[in-house]
């Protein structure tokens, strides 16, 4: 059984409403480029530099797009996410960073961070894909769950 969860970015980031626009995908558009030892994701507001680790996962360096810097060296003011549990860049929505966590296809983790306050807003598990929500401020995900016994009619 899967439960649907809708995460509304606007509830937490009311001051950033003007930065979010209606769209059919859960994340803003980014362009990926490869550099020596890293992948850079160019967004309207940020550059996310994803540096792969030896085993699994990546360190993420997030900096303003105006820096133009696409290298995996730490710059003053960077927001840095150090890989702990096989974590990867998933997407950006305005000033909100989504980080994917996991090594298998079935049960994944997602970490949601407000880049302006640098606070972790949410950390939870999901299955499938993160989807666009019913309005321009919402994304959705499915959470897996188990029933002790099937409900009548299942």
């Amino acid at each position: 059984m899967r439960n649907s969860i809708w995460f509304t970015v606007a509830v937490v980031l009311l001051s950033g409403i003007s930065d979010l626009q209606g769209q059919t995908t859960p994340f803003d558009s980014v362009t990926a480029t490869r550099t020596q030892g890293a992948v850079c994701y160019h967004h309207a507001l940020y550059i996310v530099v994803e540096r792969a680790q030896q085993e699994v996962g990546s360190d993420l360096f997030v900096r303003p797009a105006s820096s133009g810097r696409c290298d995996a060296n730490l710059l003053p003011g960077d927001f840095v996410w150090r890989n702990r549990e096989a974590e990867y860049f998933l997407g950006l929505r305005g000033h909100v960073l989504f980080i994917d966590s996991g090594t298998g296809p079935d049960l994944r983790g997602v970490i949601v961070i407000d880049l302006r306050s640098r606070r972790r807003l949410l950390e939870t598990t999901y299955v499938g894909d993160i989807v666009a929500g019913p309005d321009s401020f919402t994304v959705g995900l499915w959470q897996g769950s188990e029933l002790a016994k099937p409900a009548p009619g299942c």
Side-chain angles (χ1 to χ4, degrees):
M1 178 178 189
R2 295 198 277 184
N3 297 319
S4 173
I5 292 182
W6 295 99
F7 173 65
T8 302
V9 175
V11 170
V12 180
L13 303 174
L14 289 175
S15 63
I17 286 176
S18 63
D19 298 324
L20 300 175
Q21 301 173 5
Q23 52 198 34
T24 57
T25 61
F27 307 116
D28 295 342
S29 175
V30 296
T31 303
T33 60
R34 293 195 178 277
T35 64
Q36 186 175 6
V39 176
C40 293
Y41 298 94
H42 302 269
H43 176 264
L45 302 171
Y46 298 99
I47 295 173
V48 178
V49 181
E50 182 178 56
R51 181 177 62 193
Q53 296 300 296
Q54 285 220 322
E55 296 289 322
V56 294
S58 301
D59 288 339
L60 302 176
F61 301 85
V62 185
R63 55 186 62 126
S66 60
S67 74
R69 295 280 304 269
C70 189
D71 54 77
N73 296 321
L74 180 62
L75 298 176
D78 280 0
F79 171 79
V80 179
W81 182 267
R82 297 286 183 197
N83 177 56
R84 296 172 304 159
E85 309 251 347
E87 292 145 350
Y88 304 91
F89 172 75
L90 184 60
L92 284 161
R93 185 77 184 256
H95 296 281
V96 179
L97 171 67
F98 293 79
I99 300 171
D100 178 66
S101 178
T103 57
D106 296 333
L107 184 63
R108 309 288 303 169
V110 64
I111 302 161
V112 181
I113 297 172
D114 175 358
L115 290 171
R116 289 183 295 187
S117 67
R118 299 183 177 207
R119 282 188 23 226
R120 187 181 319 195
L121 304 175
L122 174 73
E123 187 167 352
T124 191
T125 58
Y126 73 102
V127 294
D129 295 321
I130 293 180
V131 297
D135 58 45
S136 62
F137 306 112
T138 307
V139 297
L141 56 88
W142 290 99
Q143 277 196 317
S145 64
E146 294 182 23
L147 297 173
K149 65 180 192 175
C154 286

